[in-house]
Amino acid sequence: MLTTIDIENFRCIRAAHLELDPQATGIVGENGSGKTSLLESIYFLAHGRSFRANQREKLLPPQADFLRVVGRVRTARGELVAGIEYSRQGTRANLAGQGISGIAEIAEILPVQVIDPGVHRLIEEGSARRRRLLDWGVFHVKHEFLGVWRRYQRALQQRNAVLRSAGDEQSLAAWERELSAAGQRVDTLRGEYAAQLLPHFVEVADQLLGAQGARFTYRRGWAADQDLAAQLVESRPRDQRLRTTTVGAHRADVSFFFEGAPARDRVSRGQQKLLAAAFILGQLAFQAAQGAPPACLMLDDPAAELDVDNLGKLLAAVAKIPAQLVITSVHERGLEGVKLGRKFHVKQGNFL
Ligand SMILES: Nc1ncnc2c1ncn2[C@@H]1O[C@H](COP(=O)(O)OP(=O)(O)OP(=O)(O)O)[C@@H](O)[C@H]1O
Ligand SMILES: [Mg+2]
């Protein structure tokens, strides 16, 4: 649980200190006041990236040469201070006063997810978002995942480097053994996770969309009936031509179905949002069922995005999940129906 957050130079937020409620914190402010920026800064601390900008440089205000987000996190080990700093020299993170490489240690104690106006892109856009979200869940439930995933990434980079430099088959084969071993393990962990997640997703999706049979399937990134090592050998000519590895765990995906048909071609924008929200909430419900501490769930202006009926369903589904809520709205009435322990009004990046 996140008890306080300190922000410096994050978009329009020059300096802010907020104490968050353990249950629910509301943020009210006009368009452009800094609501999403606040959620983005919390997400940045927990993920090392933004959910709406690909380049970190875009987060820096003009003239600022660094940004910093520091949070106090209540954990089973007591209260820990986690910080992340970005400047054009790079990103640095620390936990409990120690510099750390990467942010996995922060991510581990601070599970953060967001349902924002762009959440439908999970269904609509390419596989990268779906893979990232799936992997976030696997990471939180299966402790072995991070290590094998890193092994896989390293082997993939090496094989791709050989392909780019038009190296011979022997050099490819050297990396394929490691790539295939790590890839099979990544797949096993993702596959187990997806199977365990499915009933939680279905339960939330039924609440949000009516019992209309929303489902997802996990695809591993290479032919279902084949060994990855054999597939890599088979795809060498194509990979050499394209200079990149075209099969493997980095091509895994999740497909959503609604009433038996692929959701992407079938459902409305509003329904895409609900399906995506169900995937996120299903993950949080699964984590809670595994005994994980409550996540921090951020809802960015849900009232503006959904009709009254669907907003009610979303808030009811959210209320069933043990999570620390941070919820934004342009109007006070957008927060009606949520029991807030604390509320801030934001103007030009200042929270009062
Ligand atoms: N790098 C940056 N430096 C300074 N200001 C920025 C930067 N990026 C965005 N802004 C400004 O930050 C302000 C707040 O944006 P934000 O998206 O947080 O507002 P919001 O309260 O969520 O608004 P809305 O209700 O429209 O979603 C905007 O006016 C935007 O122009
Ligand atoms: Mg916003």
Side-chain angles (χ1 to χ4, degrees):
M1 199 196 75
L2 194 57
T3 57
T4 66
I5 183 106
D6 284 273
I7 305 161
E8 271 174 273
N9 298 332
F10 199 102
R11 294 199 190 266
C12 67
I13 306 172
R14 284 299 176 155
H17 168 83
L18 281 86
E19 287 180 18
L20 300 177
D21 187 74
Q23 261 82 48
T25 304
I27 313 285
V28 182
E30 292 174 354
N31 294 133
S33 57
K35 302 181 297 297
T36 305
S37 303
L38 169 71
L39 305 190
E40 207 179 5
S41 73
I42 295 172
Y43 189 96
F44 189 74
L45 176 63
H47 293 255
R49 63 194 310 282
S50 156
F51 58 83
R52 60 170 177 175
N54 285 327
Q55 292 137 320
R56 291 175 188 161
E57 204 171 315
K58 292 200 178 134
L59 306 172
L60 280 178
Q63 269 102 52
D65 47 21
F66 74 97
L67 67 81
R68 184 182 297 136
V69 186
V70 177
R72 257 173 207 285
V73 188
R74 194 168 295 157
T75 73
R77 289 182 278 155
E79 199 156 79
L80 299 176
V81 177
I84 186 164
E85 232 181 77
Y86 164 78
S87 72
R88 289 185 179 91
Q89 279 74 53
T91 307
R92 287 191 309 184
N94 58 72
L95 183 62
Q98 304 277 317
I100 51 176
S101 68
I103 56 100
E105 287 170 64
I106 300 178
E108 200 179 337
I109 57 161
L110 187 60
V112 167
Q113 272 306 336
V114 61
I115 297 175
D116 78 319
V119 75
H120 62 275
R121 287 182 293 174
L122 185 75
I123 312 293
E124 212 174 59
E125 288 188 357
S127 60
R129 270 174 200 279
R130 291 184 289 277
R131 216 164 28 241
R132 214 182 291 131
L133 185 54
L134 179 78
D135 284 350
W136 175 85
V138 187
F139 164 78
H140 277 286
V141 171
K142 312 233 176 227
H143 296 292
E144 183 198 339
F145 184 71
L146 181 65
V148 270
W149 187 84
R150 282 183 173 155
R151 261 179 61 203
Y152 182 82
Q153 290 300 321
R154 263 196 302 274
L156 179 64
Q157 279 163 15
Q158 298 292 347
R159 187 176 186 269
N160 284 341
V162 175
L163 289 167
R164 274 197 305 276
S165 62
D168 56 21
E169 304 241 330
Q170 227 176 348
S171 322
L172 286 176
W175 290 110
E176 284 168 8
R177 272 189 295 277
E178 170 74 352
L179 191 60
S180 147
Q184 309 262 16
R185 193 65 199 144
V186 165
D187 167 53
T188 303
L189 294 171
R190 281 175 174 161
E192 284 171 9
Y193 176 81
Q196 293 168 314
L197 171 62
L198 185 62
H200 296 278
F201 165 78
V202 168
E203 192 179 332
V204 184
D206 283 355
Q207 286 169 47
L208 295 182
L209 291 141
Q212 291 173 35
R215 293 282 177 277
F216 72 80
T217 57
Y218 158 72
R219 284 183 290 131
R220 63 179 180 172
W222 69 94
D225 51 356
Q226 263 199 45
D227 190 61
L228 179 54
Q231 280 256 308
L232 286 165
V233 173
E234 203 174 286
S235 70
R236 274 182 203 162
R238 183 181 52 206
D239 291 0
Q240 283 166 326
R241 207 163 3 96
L242 298 172
R243 296 179 172 234
T244 189
T245 303
T246 57
V247 291
H250 60 294
R251 305 293 296 263
D253 201 355
V254 169
S255 313
F256 290 92
F257 296 88
F258 192 64
E259 296 174 329
R264 203 194 306 222
D265 321 322
R266 184 178 179 110
V267 309
S268 74
R269 173 64 65 88
Q271 287 173 320
Q272 286 184 357
K273 283 181 197 293
L274 295 173
L275 269 179
F279 195 70
I280 293 170
L281 297 179
Q283 288 193 307
L284 300 187
F286 177 32
Q287 284 170 20
Q290 298 278 104
C296 174
L297 174 63
M298 310 190 293
L299 303 180
D300 195 11
D301 214 353
E305 289 294 317
L306 296 166
D307 64 43
V308 176
D309 184 38
N310 282 328
L311 177 64
K313 284 183 187 163
L314 177 69
L315 294 179
V318 165
K320 287 192 181 168
I321 289 160
Q324 180 184 24
L325 273 186
V326 183
I327 172 165
T328 77
S329 179
V330 180
H331 306 291
E332 297 280 345
R333 65 183 139 78
L335 300 175
E336 278 167 16
V338 186
K339 215 169 130 251
L340 298 174
R342 226 171 239 275
K343 186 163 69 184
F344 293 92
H345 289 92
V346 50
K347 269 198 186 115
Q348 296 177 334
N350 294 305
F351 295 80
L352 295 170

